[in-house]
Amino acid sequence: MTTHAATLITGVAELVSNDPELGAGPLGLVPDAALVVQGGTVAWVGPAGAAPPADARVDVGGRAVLPGFVDSHAHLVFAGERSAEFEARMSGVPYDGGGIASTVRATRDAGDEQLRSQLQRVVAEMRAQGTTTVEVKSGYGLTVADEARALRLAREVTAETTFLGAHVVPPEYAGRADEYVALVTGPMLAACAPHARWIDVFCEPASPHAFDGPASRAVLEAGRAAGLGLRVHGNQLGPGPGAQLAVELGAASVDHCTFLSDADVDALASGRTVATLLPGVEFSTRQPYPDARRLLEAGVTVALATDCNPGTCFSSSMPLCVALAVREMGMTPVEAVLAATRGGAAALRRDDIGHLGVGARADMAVLDAPSYRFLPYRPGVPLAHTLEVA
C-alpha cells in the first residue's frame, strides 16, 4: 500500500476555505492559516501555529489562498476568431446568435491538431489565472462527426464535457429545424453521449437561430434518457421558457439569466437548479447585466463563469468575472468569490471542489495579495494563479 507524502502549505495570510465551520463568515476565513495536502486532497486545515508535521513544506509568503475557480460554462473547441463581429457590436450592431455560423465553418475545416492546440492554449490561460476546473462544451461542429470529435478533444482536458449539438440550427438545415432536432436527439446524441457528462441546449425563442421551448424539451429529455445530466442556455436575449424548463426537468444549471420574470425567479428559488451568470458576455455585447441581487435575495444559488468563446466573450478570466459581478451585478465581494468557486461546483453537482475542507480536492488558487478583497479591488491585474502541489 502506497503512502503519499504530506505537504504543508504555510505562510497563508488569509485562507478562504468556503467552510463556515472552519473560519469566519460564509467564506470560512482563517487568518495566518496552513493546510496539509496528501494524495491530492486536503488532509488538515487550521491556524499555522497548530499545523502538524509534514514531509515537505511550501511557503506562499503572506499571500491569500482560496479554492481554485470553477468555470462551469465555456466553449473552447473551435477554430477562427470573430474580432470583426465584436467591433461591429461595439458600433451598434445587435447580437442575435447568428455569428456562431462563422465559427462552425472554421471549426469544421480545422484539423484535430489545430483544435487541440487552441483548446490547450486557452485552458493554460485559465490555469494561469487560478481556474482549476473547467466545463467544456461542443457546439461548433453541428454534424455527427464534428460534435463527437469536439467532445473527444474536450475529454483530453476535463471530465466536465457537455454535448451542445443544439447550439444553433446549422445553415444546411435552415427552415428545417425539426429535422435538425431529430438528428441531435438521434444519431448525434448516440455518437456523443459516450464522451459527454452533460447535454445543453440554446433555448432562446428571441433568436432566429436557436431553439424554442418544445424543441429544447425534446433535446433535454433525449439527453436525460441517454444518461446525461442537463444544462440550459436560457433567458439571454429576452424572456423565454429556459429557466422554468430547467427547473422542471431538474437541470443542474440555467446559464445567462439576463431576462427573468418573477415566476422564473420563484421557480429557481424552489429547486436545485443553479443560476449561472456570465458577466463577460454583457461586457462584450453591451446587453444589460443580470440582476444578481434579485436572485440572491430570493435564495437562488448563483454561479459565475466566463462563457469563454470566440464570439460573445473571448475572455478566460474568472477574476474579471468576479470584478464585473461586484461592479455591475450588485454582488458583494464575498458573494462573487463564493459564486466563482462553490457556486460553480454546485452548477456541476460536485462536492469535492469549490472549498478547502478536509477531504476536498487540493485545487487551490493563490493571490499575489493578502486578501480575497483584492480580486475586485484590483481588476485587470494578474493576481491569481493556480497553486501546484506535488
Side-chain angles (χ1 to χ4, degrees):
M1 180 176 180
T2 301
T3 301
H4 296 284
T7 300
L8 174 66
I9 313 298
T10 190
V12 180
E14 175 185 83
L15 174 68
V16 175
S17 71
N18 281 351
D19 186 344
E21 294 186 2
L22 293 175
L27 295 181
L29 296 176
V30 183
D32 188 20
L35 305 90
V36 174
V37 174
Q38 191 167 18
T41 63
V42 178
W44 181 89
V45 182
D55 302 298
R57 178 186 179 101
V58 174
D59 191 330
V60 299
R63 293 172 171 85
V65 170
L66 64 157
F69 298 119
V70 180
D71 190 346
S72 61
H73 184 130
H75 306 250
L76 305 185
V77 185
F78 65 87
E81 51 86 16
R82 284 154 62 187
S83 57
E85 179 187 320
F86 173 82
E87 183 178 46
R89 283 200 306 273
M90 296 304 102
S91 303
V93 176
Y95 173 71
D96 69 356
I100 293 169
S102 66
T103 300
V104 170
R105 289 192 295 272
T107 303
R108 288 176 177 178
D109 290 342
D112 287 7
E113 285 307 312
Q114 181 183 348
L115 295 177
R116 180 179 286 114
S117 176
Q118 166 72 13
L119 171 64
Q120 292 175 343
R121 181 180 68 80
V122 180
V123 170
E125 278 184 5
M126 291 175 161
R127 291 194 62 80
Q129 299 172 87
T131 296
T132 52
T133 301
V134 60
E135 178 259 18
V136 177
K137 303 178 190 295
S138 66
Y140 291 127
L142 309 187
T143 67
V144 172
D146 285 307
E147 286 294 291
R149 174 176 69 152
L151 288 163
R152 284 196 302 269
L153 291 170
R155 265 289 166 91
E156 296 177 4
V157 300
T158 184
E160 300 294 345
T161 53
T162 299
F163 168 45
L164 183 59
H167 198 182
V168 293
V169 178
E172 64 268 26
Y173 280 88
R176 298 184 294 132
D178 288 350
E179 291 181 36
Y180 183 66
V181 170
L183 177 69
V184 169
T185 57
M188 193 181 288
L189 175 60
C192 291
H195 312 291
R197 182 182 178 206
W198 305 96
I199 190 168
D200 199 345
V201 60
F202 190 8
C203 179
E204 196 65 62
S207 169
H209 311 285
F211 300 88
D212 61 16
S216 298
R217 179 185 293 274
V219 168
L220 295 170
E221 289 181 342
R224 182 169 60 186
L228 302 181
L230 309 186
R231 320 188 71 75
V232 178
H233 283 60
N235 303 76
Q236 177 187 1
L237 304 178
Q244 293 192 50
L245 181 62
V247 174
E248 177 194 340
L249 296 182
S253 72
V254 56
D255 302 17
H256 289 290
C257 296
T258 307
F259 296 94
L260 295 178
S261 67
D262 289 345
D264 294 332
V265 175
D266 290 345
L268 287 164
S270 72
R272 292 182 60 204
T273 300
V274 174
T276 301
L277 308 184
L278 312 166
V281 172
E282 283 71 43
F283 179 85
S284 298
T285 61
R286 287 185 172 162
Q287 288 185 270
Y289 284 88
D291 186 350
R293 183 88 263 126
R294 179 186 180 202
L295 289 163
L296 290 164
E297 290 179 355
V300 177
T301 300
V302 171
L304 292 174
T306 62
D307 194 8
C308 184
N309 73 85
T312 55
C313 181
F314 202 7
S315 173
S316 54
S317 176
M318 286 293 281
L320 173 63
C321 291
V322 169
L324 289 173
V326 172
R327 174 62 181 85
E328 303 291 348
M329 299 197 314
M331 299 181 82
T332 67
V334 167
E335 290 165 343
V337 169
L338 275 172
T341 53
R342 194 138 207 167
L348 295 175
R349 298 245 167 114
R350 297 274 297 274
D351 59 12
D352 61 330
I353 56 175
H355 67 104
L356 292 173
V358 172
R361 286 175 56 94
D363 289 353
M364 293 175 282
V366 62
L367 305 183
D368 290 331
S371 172
Y372 72 90
R373 297 178 183 89
F374 278 66
L375 283 167
Y377 177 48
R378 301 203 69 204
V381 178
L383 298 179
H385 54 89
T386 56
L387 179 59
E388 304 287 352
V389 179

